[in-house]
Amino acid sequence: MKMKHYNIVLTIAGSDSGGGAGIQADIKTISACGCYAASAITAVTVQNTLGVNAVSAVPVDVLEGQIDAVLSDIGADAVKIGMLHSSEVVRCVRKMLDKYNVKNVVLDPVMVSTSGHRLIEEEAIASLVSDLLPRARVITPNIPEAEILLGGEQLALQKDLPDAARRLADKCGASVLLKAGHLTEEKLVDIFYDVEDGKVYELPSARIHTRNTHGTGCTLSSAFASMLAKGMSLPDAAAAAKDYINEAIIAGAEYEIGHGFGPVKHFYKLWKDECQG
């Protein structure tokens, strides 16, 4: 009998003890999107919905071992990359991606948490730009992250985003999904610039008024990686990932977890209204 195979996504990111972001959000998202999730943890954070209280780095040799263990045995149809706090970690991840010639790399350039905690060392940003962004197929910055990657330029208006996405793509060589959530408009239009076909795609949605936005960046990038692992084209994967995060935010908007920024409802297709009271 011919055996079946899962679509496999490896997430390389930090752990969130509160479960709303990082590795935990990635695994939930990848699973909810119908893929098999493997993981390599870059750091352990002490955090909840109120913020990040401490970060402890996983030794680089242990991180390398985790990635090697997964890719040498299980493999991966796509890799999602999240929190990489130091230049040593960035170089380690680049080395392992090259070793196994991984193609579908979705990189979320995590720099600051939802609560405002800095998650990356200053010199790691330069290493990220020079060593790892060119290795990605897609990057998924929010506006503050895009501003940092563009050298401190301010992006205050929706009309600025298509050109900013193009210039980011020119800088790093990857397609860019530029998220509009930090703007003030009621209608949000994320911009996807596909460097492979040279086209700009608009991904509109209505703003959802909720505090439950913790881990949205992790979730979107993991959904994007999952769609690529399932064989979707870049534009279709971008649209499907956007739909997934939008529905997850809507479904989780009225729940209360903790006293700060709550998570989205990753398993909205399965849980429905069972989790009441």
Side-chain angles (χ1 to χ4, degrees):
M1 181 180 70
K2 185 177 180 180
M3 298 298 290
K4 297 179 180 180
H5 293 278
Y6 295 107
N7 296 310
I8 299 165
V9 180
L10 167 63
T11 168
I12 304 172
S15 170
D16 171 8
S17 52
I23 284 283
Q24 287 81 353
D26 295 344
I27 291 173
K28 292 172 187 176
T29 302
I30 294 163
S31 301
C33 290
C35 294
Y36 179 92
S39 64
I41 298 175
T42 61
V44 176
T45 68
V46 178
Q47 72 174 290
N48 52 26
T49 65
L50 296 173
V52 181
N53 297 314
V55 178
S56 179
V58 170
V60 174
D61 62 328
V62 176
L63 171 61
E64 181 176 319
Q66 292 178 81
I67 300 171
D68 192 59
V70 172
L71 294 180
S72 66
D73 176 38
I74 299 169
D77 299 297
V79 172
K80 175 267 167 84
I81 301 172
M83 177 186 170
L84 305 176
H85 52 281
S86 71
S87 55
E88 291 79 12
V89 168
V90 171
R91 288 192 292 269
C92 168
V93 172
R94 171 64 191 257
K95 180 177 78 171
M96 299 308 291
L97 293 177
D98 287 346
K99 177 179 178 179
Y100 288 99
N101 195 28
V102 178
K103 300 297 185 185
N104 286 322
V105 177
V106 179
L107 192 152
D108 183 20
V110 180
M111 298 179 187
V112 181
S113 70
T114 302
S115 58
H117 189 97
R118 188 68 176 259
L119 297 173
I120 186 170
E121 297 172 2
E122 196 64 41
E123 70 263 21
I125 296 176
S127 182
L128 192 72
V129 171
S130 63
D131 296 326
L132 202 52
L133 264 61
R135 188 61 181 76
R137 189 177 184 195
V138 181
I139 64 171
T140 61
N142 59 29
I143 286 177
E145 291 159 351
E147 289 173 341
I148 292 171
L149 294 173
L150 289 170
E153 175 184 336
Q154 297 297 300
L155 301 174
L157 300 173
Q158 180 70 54
K159 68 180 181 64
D160 298 332
L161 300 192
D163 181 62
R166 286 191 193 93
R167 286 185 288 115
L168 275 174
D170 289 342
K171 183 173 184 177
C172 68
S175 296
V176 176
L177 176 53
L178 180 50
K179 299 171 287 189
H182 284 78
L183 298 180
T184 58
E185 287 91 345
E186 286 299 304
K187 182 181 180 181
L188 303 176
V189 183
D190 294 347
I191 297 297
F192 179 61
Y193 177 68
D194 185 347
V195 75
E196 296 177 21
D197 68 11
K199 295 180 180 179
V200 172
Y201 298 85
E202 294 187 349
L203 304 173
S205 63
R207 181 178 296 278
I208 303 156
H209 293 278
T210 175
R211 296 180 69 187
N212 295 338
T213 56
H214 183 50
T216 49
C218 307
T219 299
L220 176 63
S221 54
S222 294
F224 204 140
S226 299
M227 303 310 170
L228 292 178
K230 293 164 77 171
M232 287 189 182
S233 68
L234 280 173
D236 287 347
K242 167 76 174 187
D243 288 344
Y244 172 80
I245 184 59
N246 195 54
E247 292 299 321
I249 294 172
I250 291 171
E254 297 181 358
Y255 285 82
E256 183 176 71
I257 295 182
H259 299 88
F261 295 100
V264 303
K265 190 175 181 181
H266 294 93
F267 293 108
Y268 66 88
K269 290 183 180 179
L270 295 175
W271 287 3
K272 304 301 180 185
D273 294 325
E274 291 90 343
C275 303
Q276 299 291 334

